[in-house]
Amino acid sequence: LKVHFATGWGTDSPNPFILGGTFLLNPTSHFSAPFNERNYPIRGYRQGLSALQGRRMMQASLQYHFPLATINRTIMAPPIGINKITANIFIDSGGVWQTGGSPDKFFTGVGTEINIESTLFYLLPITIRIGVAHGLDSLGEDQWYIRLGHLL
């Protein structure tokens, strides 16, 4: 079980917080200080919607991660290995606002992902994530996505 919560509060004329999309836009955000991050995912919503941009924001995600198969096999040419296949089901929710203490509306998306944890060239771990998400209100949409990276 993985729980993630983020909140942001800008004063005066800050760059807006932007919710939506399937992943963080800054690929180095997992390796650097979390300050000044402005883009947060809510899977099932397109990034850039005006209703998902504001001076203040809250975003939360709850994921249940479970194994499907442990393979641990490698082919030699090219050296590619598949370690395990996992899945997760998730719910993302968040909202933005301009003034006051909380958003007027929260946007919520649900979905599932299959994660193929593999190794390239015997040393480089990489995860192929294939997912589908559904936004639960009129601004939401069905999203299919593929993401390459490291599973965090």
Side-chain angles (χ1 to χ4, degrees):
L1 189 62
K2 179 180 176 184
V3 178
H4 172 81
F5 178 76
T7 186
W9 193 277
T11 58
D12 298 329
S13 299
N15 291 329
F17 291 100
I18 301 171
L19 303 181
T22 59
F23 57 91
L24 291 171
L25 285 184
N26 181 358
T28 63
S29 64
H30 292 294
F31 307 108
S32 62
F35 306 109
N36 208 28
E37 181 65 50
R38 296 291 176 179
N39 302 293
Y40 291 88
I42 298 181
R43 293 166 282 193
Y45 292 87
R46 191 176 59 234
Q47 191 164 35
L49 296 173
S50 61
L52 294 171
Q53 297 183 35
R55 291 177 47 203
R56 299 169 182 164
M57 72 90 188
M58 284 185 194
Q59 185 265 354
S61 178
L62 177 67
Q63 297 185 62
Y64 178 63
H65 191 81
F66 53 94
L68 294 177
T70 301
I71 298 169
N72 289 327
R73 299 275 185 232
T74 302
I75 62 173
M76 298 301 284
I80 299 172
I82 296 179
N83 302 333
K84 60 183 172 176
I85 301 174
T86 61
N88 62 319
I89 55 175
F90 63 82
I91 181 168
D92 294 340
S93 188
V96 296
W97 68 101
Q98 302 300 329
T99 59
S102 64
D104 295 329
K105 179 175 174 131
F106 282 92
F107 298 89
T108 303
V110 296
T112 188
E113 296 174 332
I114 300 291
N115 305 297
I116 303 168
E117 297 177 32
S118 59
T119 304
L120 299 177
F121 305 108
Y122 305 111
L123 296 173
L124 180 63
I126 191 163
T127 299
I128 302 165
R129 179 176 293 182
I130 303 165
V132 62
H134 175 74
L136 297 179
D137 68 11
S138 61
L139 291 178
E141 61 185 22
D142 292 330
Q143 293 177 330
W144 286 87
Y145 55 93
I146 296 176
R147 178 179 165 195
L148 298 177
H150 186 68
L151 185 62
L152 296 173

